[in-house]
Amino acid sequence: EEQLKLSGYINQALVFGDNKLHNVALFVPDVDALTAWASSEGLSGGLTDWLATEEVRSLYQGELDRYQQDVFKGFEKIKNFRFIEEEFSTENDMLTPTMKIKRNVIEDFYNQKMDDWFSQKKKVNWGRFTARNTMDICLDTNAFVTSFLVGK
């Protein structure tokens, strides 16, 4: 988490993954840095609008790749991330008075959403064939081979 906060675009980060197949992260963006970047890119709207764009997701994916590249081992790497606009603070009970993250409080608060994030896989895209899980890959592979052999 500290490594990820070296990015100028990440204000706060929290990584989850205990007893899961992969890690996911919550990013609280640095609003000032993101505002400057969005204006240089010509993005209109506000923070909520920007966080929903593919351009911002790509920016953060690049930052994630950059800061976990040589530091994180394969099993430590973050496979998925989400943005949250609300900073962790003592007012929302997500930080202790000594400014330490209350991981269990945040995990309880985002628990349902995190289950969805862990279950989401990146789509595999082979031209017109797209897969989200192993069964889809098998079905799409069979369809691809069939269409190749038949010539469609």
Side-chain angles (χ1 to χ4, degrees), residues 2-141:
E2 294 302 316
Q3 178 72 16
L4 298 172
K5 290 193 293 187
L6 293 174
S7 166
Y9 296 102
I10 299 173
N11 186 20
Q12 294 173 314
L14 189 59
V15 178
F16 297 97
D18 290 345
N19 301 316
K20 303 289 184 183
L21 292 175
H22 62 274
N23 292 327
V24 297
L26 292 177
F27 292 150
V28 178
D30 185 298
V31 178
D32 294 335
L34 189 56
T35 300
W37 180 86
S39 106
S40 75
E41 294 292 311
L43 295 180
S44 59
L47 181 63
T48 303
D49 301 317
W50 301 333
L51 295 179
T53 66
E54 190 58 39
E55 292 90 348
V56 171
R57 181 138 187 101
S58 294
L59 169 70
Y60 277 81
Q61 185 63 56
E63 292 293 293
L64 178 61
D65 294 343
R66 177 178 165 201
Y67 285 98
Q68 73 177 351
Q69 180 179 9
D70 296 326
V71 179
F72 294 1
K73 295 176 179 77
F75 66 91
E76 295 174 321
K77 292 196 176 185
I78 296 164
K79 304 291 184 196
N80 202 351
F81 63 90
R82 291 292 188 270
F83 300 109
I84 55 174
E85 293 181 38
E86 183 181 17
E87 291 186 17
F88 307 140
S89 67
T90 55
E91 289 80 28
N92 63 16
D93 198 37
M94 294 188 185
L95 289 180
T96 67
T98 59
M99 307 308 279
K100 294 179 185 156
I101 291 178
K102 291 184 176 179
R103 184 175 295 276
N104 59 338
V105 172
I106 297 169
E107 193 168 341
D108 289 345
F109 187 78
Y110 290 103
N111 193 25
Q112 179 59 45
K113 292 179 183 178
M114 281 192 302
D115 287 343
D116 295 339
W117 301 340
F118 280 112
S119 67
Q120 289 181 354
K121 305 264 192 290
K122 289 187 176 182
K123 288 194 322 186
V124 177
N125 192 338
W126 296 308
R128 64 186 182 137
F129 298 100
T130 302
R132 287 196 179 273
N133 59 43
T134 308
M135 180 56 84
D136 285 347
I137 291 172
C138 292
L139 294 174
D140 281 349
T141 304

